[in-house]
Amino acid sequence: MPRTEDSVLTTALHSEVETRFLTYALSTIVSRSLPDVRDGLKPVHRRILFAMWEMGLGPTTKFRKSAAVVGEVLGKFHPHGDQAAYDAMVRMAQDFSLRYPLVEGSGNFGSLDGDPAAAMRYTEARLSQLAEELLVEIEKDTVGFRPNYDNSLKEPVVLPARFPQLLVNGTSGIAVGMSCSFPPHNIGEVIDGLAAMIDDANIEVKDLLKFIKGPDFPTSGQILNSKKELREIYQTGSGGIRVRGEYTLEDMPRGRQAIVFTSIPYLVNKAKLLEKLIGLMEDKKLPQVSAVRDESTDVVRVVLELKAETNAELVTAYLFKHSDLESTFPINFTALKPNMEPERLSLKEMMRYFLDFRLELVTRRLNYDLRILTARLHILTAFEALYDDLDTAIKIIRKAKSREDAAEKIKKHFRFDDEQVKAVLEMQLYKLAGLEIDRILKEIAEKTKQKKDIEAILASQKKVWGLIKTELLEIKEKYGDKRKSVMKAAEDVEFSQEDFIIHEDVTVIMTKMGWIRRVKTVGENLRFKEGDELLSLLPANTRDNI
């Protein structure tokens, strides 16, 4: 137990370390490394997007310097390192990192070769069109706000996402004692799965996989997992996705061929991959390859020229085994639930949390719209009543001694409340014209209909779910595209080590002291250690066993 001596608090060291480490671990898990299952964002990404929204950086506005965005984020919401915040923003702009980028960048934002982005003072950014779908409903009281780090401003607890960002773009992170790794998916497939879940709340993971075929990486590639393996991964939220680069064979002069890789696995550094391939060739571990070069432009094109009479399938099999042309993307569906507890989730659980979140958002949005409509109709009915007895209203205003006197008399005569009286007194004179009352009556009719429609939707949860489904399908219609990654079960080609040994005649030399070595030719310059001499010569081939 802590005890106090001379105003100094004394406590056991192990107890203090444990308490502080748990506090740090919890902060890392909740405030840094794990995404929220609802909007699929970590705090830094959420703050960057919200700050850009507050700055008015929509997809149709002018670009702003990235340094201005980072300064806004750090000064108002995220008091951490500027480079870390910039790196997070850069990744959201890279079309080879995110399946559907959330930031539109202008300038050098890095490359598939691992080149870093230009300094933030050189690059510019704004929100992408899809990113707007994460924020567009924020003005309608759809989500809660909390104080920022210095209690001077408010920031959203979660963004009102109109699409499942966590599944669509994925994310990864390392916390204390836990980590997460979500692959990106095709937005059309995910929304089809959500629509199926709205129709059947008891749908199983195996049925969801009829819509969601598997991950869909921005760098394309071939996914090798079987349907059984994928079902197990999405059921448990854990496993690994085997991804392989796609290639074609092209004919070259003198009967030779070239292997041309048109995609590489997700998150593989192309420059380092080229170094590895060239190293294999120079070390004579790929004797069938005569040249390796990178002909990539905005599309990947890595060329390996083969020698004559080479089996291309054996070469690719060797490459897949000994280089990053085949890699495994780890799956770990650990995310923060709405109550901020971290948990490893299945595909169905993630989708269920998102749909429940959409139900809450849409309900709050409809109630907000209903309040706005009710308030507007309240004012419009006052205008209508005023027009029906316009002469009296004009007399009251002309005879009034002051604004307050006019307000009090109009309020008493027409039985208006304070808001209606204020609107009447602030109304411009031209609105008293005959044509203007027609517009007012037309607006009353339109808004009355809108109010009834919203009330009808809110009265039926089935209709609310119908609206959610319709809005999701609109997102699919607007942003849906074809898959980039190909689903194809693995077809591994068997090869032996002998296939990659250069075929040539050599001589094996053995000395009396037991030294053995191989030489291409035996000449007069054959040397031995002092006191040693030749015992025997053996003509052989590099593919012989001795």
Side-chain angles (χ1 to χ4, degrees), residues 5-114:
E5 293 181 0
D6 300 327
S7 302
V8 176
L9 183 67
T10 304
T11 185
L13 179 61
H14 69 85
S15 175
E16 192 66 20
V17 169
E18 181 179 342
T19 301
R20 295 193 179 206
F21 186 78
L22 286 173
T23 303
Y24 163 72
L26 186 63
S27 172
T28 303
I29 290 167
V30 174
S31 304
R32 293 278 190 104
S33 303
L34 295 185
D36 192 300
V37 72
R38 295 169 291 180
D39 65 1
L41 299 170
K42 299 178 188 178
V44 64
H45 301 116
R46 188 179 299 117
R47 287 163 177 167
I48 289 169
L49 296 175
F50 180 66
M52 293 177 77
W53 176 265
E54 290 281 281
M55 293 170 72
L57 294 182
T60 58
T61 63
K62 289 183 178 180
F63 287 95
R64 285 284 300 277
K65 284 289 185 184
S66 298
V69 177
V70 172
E72 189 84 358
V73 173
L74 267 57
K76 291 185 175 180
F77 307 114
H78 196 70
H80 300 286
D82 59 341
Q83 192 58 46
Y86 181 51
D87 289 346
M89 190 184 81
V90 164
R91 188 176 184 278
M92 288 195 288
Q94 294 174 334
D95 59 3
F96 54 87
S97 293
L98 264 66
R99 181 65 175 81
Y100 303 91
L102 300 176
V103 171
E104 189 179 346
S106 176
N108 175 18
F109 275 78
S111 73
L112 204 55
D113 289 321

Side-chain angles (χ1 to χ4, degrees), residues 2 102 110 154 165 238 279 294 302 322 415 500:
L102 300 176
K154 297 286 187 181
Q165 153 67 18
S238 172
D294 185 8
V302 177
H322 293 92
R415 296 182 180 179
F500 296 90

Side-chain angles (χ1 to χ4, degrees), residues 351-404:
M351 294 172 69
R352 185 74 263 164
Y353 276 120
F354 175 76
L355 285 178
D356 290 344
F357 180 53
R358 281 305 299 166
L359 178 65
E360 178 189 348
L361 291 180
V362 170
T363 302
R364 290 181 63 163
R365 188 190 76 209
L366 291 173
N367 279 313
Y368 175 86
D369 289 340
L370 194 60
R371 290 197 300 273
I372 298 299
L373 284 170
T374 302
R376 179 61 179 163
L377 283 169
H378 188 56
I379 300 301
L380 290 173
T381 52
F383 290 164
E384 183 184 11
L386 187 75
Y387 190 81
D388 289 341
D389 196 2
L390 193 56
D391 293 338
T392 302
I394 292 172
K395 286 179 183 178
I396 291 173
I397 294 172
R398 288 183 66 182
K399 291 181 180 179
K401 297 177 182 179
S402 64
R403 178 189 173 96
E404 290 75 16

Side-chain angles (χ1 to χ4, degrees), residues 243-449:
V243 191
R244 180 179 283 181
E246 297 171 285
Y247 69 93
T248 58
L249 297 178
E250 293 185 3
D251 293 328
M252 297 180 63
R254 296 189 296 276
R256 295 185 302 144
Q257 284 187 313
I259 302 173
V260 180
F261 281 91
T262 55
S263 69
I264 60 176
Y266 184 51
L267 301 182
V268 168
N269 184 310
K270 182 160 63 67
K272 290 183 178 179
L273 174 64
L274 261 293
E275 287 179 17
K276 175 70 174 177
L277 297 179
I278 293 170
L280 290 173
M281 184 185 71
E282 291 177 345
D283 293 342
K284 296 184 178 179
K285 293 180 179 178
L286 275 175
Q288 301 93 329
V289 177
S290 60
V292 177
R293 62 180 180 274
D294 185 8
E295 298 180 356
S296 303
T297 53
D298 54 339
V299 294
V300 173
R301 183 177 167 85
V302 177
V303 181
L304 288 82
E305 289 187 9
L306 303 180
K307 295 177 181 177
E309 299 180 1
T310 295
N311 187 330
E313 281 194 350
L314 290 179
V315 175
T316 54
Y318 184 89
L319 291 171
F320 290 142
K321 187 171 183 180
H322 293 92
S323 76
D324 283 339
L325 282 168
E326 182 180 318
S327 66
T328 300
F329 183 88
I331 299 294
N332 183 354
F333 290 161
T334 300
L336 294 173
K337 297 189 295 183
N339 61 2
M340 292 294 102
E341 287 183 4
E343 185 176 315
R344 181 178 293 169
L345 307 168
S346 68
L347 173 66
K348 180 181 177 181
E349 288 172 325
M350 284 192 292
M351 294 172 69
R352 185 74 263 164
Y353 276 120
F354 175 76
L355 285 178
D356 290 344
F357 180 53
R358 281 305 299 166
L359 178 65
E360 178 189 348
L361 291 180
V362 170
T363 302
R364 290 181 63 163
R365 188 190 76 209
L366 291 173
N367 279 313
Y368 175 86
D369 289 340
L370 194 60
R371 290 197 300 273
I372 298 299
L373 284 170
T374 302
R376 179 61 179 163
L377 283 169
H378 188 56
I379 300 301
L380 290 173
T381 52
F383 290 164
E384 183 184 11
L386 187 75
Y387 190 81
D388 289 341
D389 196 2
L390 193 56
D391 293 338
T392 302
I394 292 172
K395 286 179 183 178
I396 291 173
I397 294 172
R398 288 183 66 182
K399 291 181 180 179
K401 297 177 182 179
S402 64
R403 178 189 173 96
E404 290 75 16
D405 185 35
E408 191 61 37
K409 288 177 178 177
I410 286 177
K411 182 178 181 180
K412 185 176 181 181
H413 180 80
F414 290 95
R415 296 182 180 179
F416 288 167
D417 58 24
D418 292 338
E419 287 184 5
Q420 290 174 316
V421 170
K422 182 181 178 182
V424 165
L425 292 178
E426 290 178 352
M427 183 174 60
Q428 294 170 314
L429 285 174
Y430 78 88
K431 288 186 179 290
L432 300 176
L435 289 176
E436 286 301 318
I437 191 61
D438 291 338
R439 291 177 186 174
I440 289 171
L441 293 173
K442 185 178 179 182
E443 187 180 351
I444 288 174
E446 288 175 354
K447 285 190 163 39
T448 301
K449 182 180 183 305

